[in-house]
């Protein structure tokens, strides 16, 4: 559910912080349970058995940034919470 609806919600800017936090949790779980034994680097050449976790760290960094910053001025989160009106008054 998160992997299908999460990107749609992030694109719309709806429930940005909860979806980003759930994505961070998902990526941490993927690293711990699957990708840690394969090392850091992705398997570009096909030389190892599985994929590393460098991509997952990228997704974690993006998720943390979205949790901290939120969806932004033009997101549906801002519109629902009245963020656009507050920003225009400042």
């Amino acid at each position: 559910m998160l992997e299908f609806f999460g990107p749609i919600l992030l694109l719309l800017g709806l429930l940005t912080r909860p979806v980003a936090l759930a994505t961070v949790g998902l990526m941490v779980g993927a690293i711990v349970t699957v990708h840690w034994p394969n090392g850091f680097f992705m398997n570009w050449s096909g030389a190892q058995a599985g994929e590393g976790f460098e991509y997952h760290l990228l997704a974690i960094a993006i998720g943390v940034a979205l949790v901290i910053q939120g969806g932004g001025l033009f997101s549906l989160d801002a519109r629902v919470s009245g963020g656009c009106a507050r920003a225009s008054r400042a």
Side-chain angles (χ1 to χ4, degrees), residues 12-90:
L12 295 173
L14 186 61
L15 299 173
T16 302
R17 287 186 166 112
V19 170
L21 187 61
T23 302
V24 167
L26 179 71
M27 292 297 119
V28 168
I31 289 172
V32 170
T33 60
V34 178
H35 297 283
W36 188 263
N38 300 321
F40 177 74
F41 294 105
M42 293 177 64
N43 189 12
W44 290 102
S45 63
Q48 64 188 29
E51 296 287 339
F53 56 88
E54 67 174 315
Y55 169 75
H56 302 84
L57 289 179
L58 173 67
I60 289 169
I62 293 169
V64 168
L66 286 173
V67 168
I68 293 170
Q69 291 290 332
L73 183 62
F74 299 109
S75 67
L76 290 179
D77 286 339
R79 182 159 292 204
V80 168
S81 68
C84 292
R86 282 185 293 196
S88 64
R89 280 186 251 148

